């Protein structure tokens, strides 16, 4: 025995209201009528062409009548204020459509009037079954789409976290170098200077060279390392930051940088994305490709910011591109601005990193 709760669940499942697709339902009904009629006529000796011509008007009429009825049902269901009223409209109007359809086509086909109730029930069950199948399929597709969207949102969130963690770590190390290490070197130089005053001239000259070397490290090496880790693009500009980046590799690789757009027309976040992509491209060229020549270009192409890093390093093989922190950073930055990137072989057998970002 079904209790009230189980009965209510069964009723809600049947009554929906499930989606109504007037055009889809009408086309399906028209095709079913056409093919069933043609098949029956052919079995009685009529030619296929004659049967198609004979049943085509009735199939078109059936599709038009059902389309009008289902369109009306869809409108009335949407206007019903409560779910119960929507269900009542769904069940009632579909039953009415079934009855009208059974009577009209019973008269058209010359069937006995007594067949109308049974044909109405058959039509009604067909409508409810097809509507339920459509509805279940749509719900399944909708749930899958929702899961896919949630997964994409999670990927985007993880990418944002990756960028935040990367930039945060770089900034902390840069601040440590700038504040703690530089301050420590200043103090050490002062102490060594005080000590040198107590030494002989020969030892004082030897210690002075050490002090000068430490000062050189403090003023240039530590400062440059701090800037490379966390470039202040908003203050010094993208082109100068890229120049300082290329200078880091001057002993092992010749890097030519060309920026043919006005960086001031791009927000700081996009400039940082451009810098990080180029940074990873140059790093991969030096570490993995052992390149000696590298060309970097940044330009605007319509709504896109185009970035290319081309080098004469080791030729890519079928398995040369692998996931790593570098490619993950490039992927994260390009995705951040709805862009894309690729690593392929360019002209003259050069390795070509190409990335694009939306400019706004």
């Amino acid at each position: 025995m079904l209790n009230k709760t189980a009965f209510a669940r069964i009723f809600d499942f049947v009554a929906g209201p499930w989606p109504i697709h007037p055009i889809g339902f009408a086309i399906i009904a028209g095709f079913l009528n056409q093919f069933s009629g043609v098949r029956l006529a052919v079995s009685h000796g009529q030619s296929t062409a004659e049967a198609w011509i004979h049943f085509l008007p009735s199939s078109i009429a059936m599709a038009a009548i059902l389309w009008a009825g289902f369109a009306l049902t869809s409108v009335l269901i949407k206007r019903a204020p409560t779910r119960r009223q929507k269900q009542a409209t769904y069940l009632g109007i579909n039953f009415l459509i079934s009855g009208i359809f059974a009577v009209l086509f019973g008269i058209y086909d010359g069937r006995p009037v007594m067949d109308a109730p049974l044909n109405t029930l058959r039509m009604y069950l067909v409508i409810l079954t097809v509507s339920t199948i459509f509805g279940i399929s749509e719900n399944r597709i909708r749930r899958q789409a929702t899961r896919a969207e949630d997964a994409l949102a999670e990927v985007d969130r993880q990418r944002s976290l990756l960028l935040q963690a990367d930039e945060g770590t770089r900034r902390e190390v840069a601040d440590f170098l700038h504040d703690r290490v530089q301050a420590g070197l200043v103090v050490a130089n002062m102490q060594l200077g005080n000590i040198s005053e107590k030494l002989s001239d020969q030892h004082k000259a030897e210690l002075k060279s050490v002090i000068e070397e430490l000062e050189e490290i403090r003023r240039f090496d530590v400062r440059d390392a701090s800037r490379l880790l966390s470039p202040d693009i908003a203050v010094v500009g993208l082109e100068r930051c890229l120049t300082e980046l290329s200078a880091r590799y001057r002993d092992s690789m010749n890097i030519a940088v060309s920026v043919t757009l006005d960086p001031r027309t791009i927000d700081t976040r996009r400039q940082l994305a451009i810098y990080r992509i180029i940074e990873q491209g140059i790093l991969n060229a030096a570490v993995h490709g052992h390149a000696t020549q590298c060309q970097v270009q940044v330009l605007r192409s319509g709504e896109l910011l185009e970035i290319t890093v081309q080098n004469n390093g080791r030729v890519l093989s079928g398995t040369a591109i692998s996931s790593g922190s570098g490619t993950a950073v490039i992927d994260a930055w390009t995705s951040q601005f709805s862009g894309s990137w690729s690593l392929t072989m360019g002209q003259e057998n050069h390795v070509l990193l190409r990335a694009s970002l939306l400019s706004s």
Side-chain angles (χ1 to χ4, degrees):
M1 294 293 293
L2 293 174
N3 56 33
K4 291 183 178 180
T5 303
F7 180 81
R9 288 177 180 175
I10 293 173
F11 176 81
D12 284 339
F13 178 79
V14 174
W18 296 104
I20 298 292
H21 300 280
I23 296 177
F25 287 7
I27 291 175
I28 291 173
F31 270 108
L32 288 176
N33 180 76
Q34 183 74 6
F35 282 107
S36 63
V38 169
R39 183 179 179 183
L40 180 63
V42 170
S43 67
H44 285 80
Q46 194 174 6
S47 69
T48 303
E50 290 176 348
W52 268 89
I53 295 172
H54 175 75
F55 283 99
L56 187 59
S58 64
S59 298
I60 293 175
M62 173 187 289
I65 292 172
L66 289 178
W67 173 82
F70 289 135
L72 176 63
T73 304
S74 181
V75 171
L76 292 176
I77 289 174
K78 289 180 180 179
R79 291 185 177 182
T82 65
R83 188 185 179 201
R84 289 301 181 197
Q85 289 177 335
K86 292 180 185 293
Q87 290 176 335
T89 302
Y90 171 78
L91 295 175
I93 299 297
N94 280 333
F95 185 79
L96 182 62
I97 291 172
S98 302
I100 294 173
F101 177 81
V103 171
L104 290 177
F105 277 87
I107 296 172
Y108 178 81
D109 290 337
R111 298 176 181 177
V113 179
M114 297 300 295
D115 290 348
L118 182 59
N119 290 333
T120 298
L121 181 60
R122 288 175 178 172
M123 185 67 183
Y124 188 52
L125 292 176
V126 170
I127 292 174
L128 294 183
T129 301
V130 173
S131 182
T132 302
I133 292 173
F134 268 76
I136 292 173
S137 300
E138 283 188 4
N139 287 344
R140 185 176 301 164
I141 293 172
R142 192 176 294 112
R143 287 195 298 269
Q144 291 174 347
T146 300
R147 286 196 292 268
E149 290 174 356
D150 292 342
L152 287 175
E154 179 62 21
V155 170
D156 289 338
R157 191 182 72 86
Q158 293 293 338
R159 284 169 173 165
S160 297
L161 290 176
L162 170 65
L163 295 181
Q164 292 175 10
D166 183 61
E167 290 302 317
T169 302
R170 289 170 178 268
R171 195 173 298 110
E172 288 177 3
V173 175
D175 291 343
F176 177 80
L177 288 173
H178 184 271
D179 298 335
R180 297 285 298 277
V181 175
Q182 276 203 334
L185 289 173
V186 169
V187 172
N189 277 351
M190 291 178 62
Q191 291 175 342
L192 288 173
N194 293 333
I195 292 173
S196 68
E197 296 298 327
K198 304 175 182 178
L199 300 177
S200 63
D201 291 341
Q202 180 182 355
H203 291 131
K204 184 183 295 185
E206 294 175 354
L207 191 58
K208 183 179 180 182
S209 65
V210 174
I211 294 173
E212 289 176 349
E213 185 174 350
L214 288 176
E215 180 63 15
E216 188 79 7
I217 293 173
R218 182 191 73 82
R219 291 180 57 192
F220 298 105
D221 293 353
V222 174
R223 183 199 64 183
D224 291 346
S226 176
R227 285 185 177 180
L228 287 172
L229 281 169
S230 183
D232 197 352
I233 293 177
V235 176
V236 301
L238 175 62
E239 292 186 74
R240 181 174 173 183
C241 289
L242 291 176
T243 300
E244 292 179 353
L245 175 64
S246 60
R248 179 184 180 185
Y249 296 90
R250 60 178 172 266
D251 294 334
S252 59
M253 182 166 49
N254 181 30
I255 302 175
V257 178
S258 173
V259 180
T260 59
L261 53 79
D262 186 357
R264 293 172 298 180
T265 62
I266 311 170
D267 61 86
T268 304
R269 188 71 175 169
R270 280 179 173 78
Q271 292 186 52
L272 180 60
I274 293 171
Y275 179 89
R276 291 303 183 204
I277 292 170
I278 293 173
E279 178 184 47
Q280 292 299 327
I282 295 175
L283 180 63
N284 288 336
V287 175
H288 301 297
H290 306 292
T292 58
Q293 299 288 332
C294 185
Q295 294 82 39
V296 176
Q297 187 174 34
V298 182
L299 56 86
R300 185 188 295 272
S301 177
E303 295 297 321
L304 295 177
L305 302 174
E306 298 283 356
I307 307 148
T308 58
V309 181
Q310 188 170 231
N311 68 83
N312 66 343
R314 188 174 59 188
V315 175
L316 294 176
S317 64
T319 59
I321 304 174
S322 59
S323 298
S325 60
T327 58
V329 169
I330 294 173
D331 189 58
W333 278 114
T334 52
S335 300
Q336 188 83 4
F337 297 104
S338 303
S340 61
W341 70 280
S342 63
L343 186 61
T344 58
M345 295 304 301
Q347 297 179 352
E348 299 179 1
N349 228 20
H350 285 184
V351 179
L352 177 63
L353 169 65
R354 186 186 300 275
S356 61
L357 313 174
L358 279 179
S359 60
S360 60

